[in-house]
Amino acid sequence: MNNPQLNKHGELQHLLSTEGLPSRILYDILDRASAFVDGDGSREIKKVPLLHGKSVFNIFFENSTRTRTTFEIAAKRLSADVVNLNIGSSSTSKGETLLDTVDNLCAMHADMFIVRHAQSGAAHLIAKHVAPEIHVINAGDGRHAHPTQALLDMYTIRHYKKEFHNLRVAIVGDILHSRVARSQIHALTTLGVPEVRVIAPKTLLPSHVEQLGVRVFHDMAQGLRDVDVVLMLRLQNERMQGAALPSAQEYFKYYGLTQEKLALAKADAIVMHPGPMNRGIEIDSSVADGGQSVILPQVTFGIAVRMAVMSMLAGDK
Ligand code: CP
């Protein structure tokens, strides 16, 4: 099937989803990201000229702390000119359509758009609309996809666990409304993780989720047993219609990650969360700030991973 993310040479043209991306592209991004961090992996290398003369437009129609800021840092480290469109004070509030806004930014010579939008498919729509030399990166669309989050999660897993082929990974929480979970599942299965588990109450699971190649658990004690990686998710209250849960306290009792529940995983299991975290609802502070948590390194790795994606789209070999 034709993949709208790839050009006729099979190279990445846009990054819209991890679904359907071949493993060679996922590994290429992870390897490139490694080249952008220094020896101990704690900092990215200094500025490089790979996007010199290019204009990157951050257009975020939904709030963001991590994604927007790390894209901006990454673009600046690649020597791009970065424009952060302030949607709140833009002409969107006067009724301008998404594609009219994009056309006007193209008239200002945009080379790359980083798009976050509440509507699933918004980044695809822009990618289909723009001229072939312009690239689009999906920074999160509705409940559909958040590919750079999944890629930085894969980078983090490989950093701590070295290989994918021997891992048992559990994704815990609000799978139903989570674009992160969907992108993680596609990336993990493509990279060869043999066992991907999802742990959630029935009300927070999409129907037929097992068709994505995951094992389904409703009980943390069973689902966390002997896993190598625990990927926690935020409760996406803004996307819930009606009461999917009895209460936050009840949710924490059964699905919140505590030291006691984490003890069921392997002793060297790592704990991840894409942020923003709801402490005391999805995760206990003693776990979030504990020795097995790699939540803040995830954020740091996001800079190198986003540098890798943007440099690949810009045609760096
Ligand atoms: N993980 C994530 O997308 O965080 P932000 O909403 O802060 O960008």
Side-chain angles (χ1 to χ4, degrees), residues 42-116:
S42 60
R43 284 192 72 84
E44 310 75 50
I45 58 168
K46 294 270 179 286
K47 212 161 179 165
V48 288
L50 293 171
L51 263 67
H52 180 71
K54 304 279 185 197
S55 295
V56 173
F57 279 65
N58 263 331
I59 52 173
F60 277 56
F61 294 84
E62 262 189 1
N63 293 343
S64 169
T65 297
R66 284 145 286 269
T67 312
R68 200 186 91 141
T69 313
T70 52
F71 262 117
E72 181 174 349
I73 295 168
K76 286 179 173 167
R77 295 261 162 88
L78 295 169
S79 307
D81 297 318
V82 184
V83 179
N84 291 307
L85 187 68
N86 186 343
I87 298 298
S89 59
S90 75
S91 291
T92 303
S93 58
K94 299 178 195 162
E96 186 169 70
T97 68
L98 176 62
L99 293 184
D100 277 335
T101 300
V102 165
D103 282 342
N104 279 272
L105 301 178
C106 289
M108 300 173 204
H109 306 299
D111 296 293
M112 201 176 282
F113 288 109
I114 318 297
V115 184
R116 171 168 290 189

Side-chain angles (χ1 to χ4, degrees), residues 235 248 251-253 255-257 278-284:
L235 278 179
Y251 181 81
F252 183 67
K253 181 174 170 200
Y255 294 98
L257 190 63
N278 292 308
R279 291 171 182 262
I281 297 176
E282 300 131 16
I283 188 163
D284 191 71

Side-chain angles (χ1 to χ4, degrees), residues 143 174-177 182 185 198 200-214 216 218:
R143 56 165 91 172
D174 183 3
I175 316 283
L176 178 63
H177 303 99
R182 273 172 192 70
I185 291 168
V198 293
K202 285 190 177 126
T203 50
L204 293 181
L205 279 170
S207 51
H208 310 299
V209 66
E210 59 287 344
Q211 290 176 5
L212 298 175
V214 297
V216 178
H218 302 297

